Amino acid sequence: MTEISEVKAARYSALFLAALLAGLTYWPASDLPFDPVLLVVWKGAGVGLLALWAGLRARSRDGWLLTAVMSFGALGDVLLEAVSLQLGALAFLAGHIVAILLYMQNRRAGVHWLWLMLVPVVVLAGALLPDDRTAAPGIAVYSLGLGAMAATALMSRFRRAAIGAWMFVASDLLIFARLGPLADSFIPDLLIWPLYFAGQAMIAWDVDRNLHAGEA
């Protein structure tokens, strides 16, 4: 039984490393003249493999919630490139709602609800960034889910996942800033994907680690 467990652990580790490899290599590859279809698949592969990894390791409802969070993230990555920003945002918003449920079910004892005061800060920041004011209401709605996800992560027992959640927030705010004050800046292109993917990987790893803590 020990040998079987070790083989499974090695396979899980290899799959997680494959997810990291796919996500990390997509960033430089996105600026190279690869086939657009290949780039869409490449982009979805990073978080998609994290979803597969989480699903194979899921042993509880929380494990399946984590799988759903990563699955919606991968879907959002693909839809952003292949269909539209709006549909991609809806997939991410669905993932945020699932993540909120996951984090609220794993609140730390004695956690302070004042963390939720960060939600309107994220909403306001997102809504003020685009130059096109007609985009502000939709961004505000999305940012409400984004901010609630990150705030509840801070309230959860997943300390490192909370860092990943706020990296996700930073990545999305840079996307909105690219529609406004940073339209001509190289900073969004430099930071959006690394912040997003590193954040997703940190969320997946830390939640899974905590869910399996104490297992043989």
Side-chain angles (χ1 to χ4, degrees), residues 125-137 139 175-184:
L128 289 177
L129 283 170
D131 287 339
D132 180 5
R133 300 317 300 154
T134 63
I139 289 176
I175 291 176
F176 305 146
R178 190 163 57 184
L179 303 175
L182 296 183
D184 298 320

Side-chain angles (χ1 to χ4, degrees), residues 55-141:
L56 291 173
R57 290 178 56 79
R59 299 294 182 270
S60 65
R61 180 172 60 176
D62 287 341
W64 289 113
L65 288 174
L66 174 63
T67 303
V69 170
M70 293 297 126
S71 297
F72 279 121
L75 179 61
D77 288 335
V78 172
L79 290 176
L80 282 177
E81 295 296 324
V83 185
S84 70
L85 176 66
Q86 291 76 14
L87 281 179
L90 285 175
F92 282 120
L93 182 58
H96 296 333
I97 293 170
V98 176
I100 291 166
L101 178 60
L102 171 64
Y103 297 143
M104 291 302 289
Q105 289 184 164
N106 289 273
R107 292 193 308 277
R108 286 181 283 118
V111 68
H112 211 297
W113 290 87
L114 284 177
W115 284 119
L116 293 178
M117 293 298 292
L118 292 169
V119 177
V121 175
V122 175
V123 173
L124 186 62
L128 289 177
L129 283 170
D131 287 339
D132 180 5
R133 300 317 300 154
T134 63
I139 289 176
V141 171

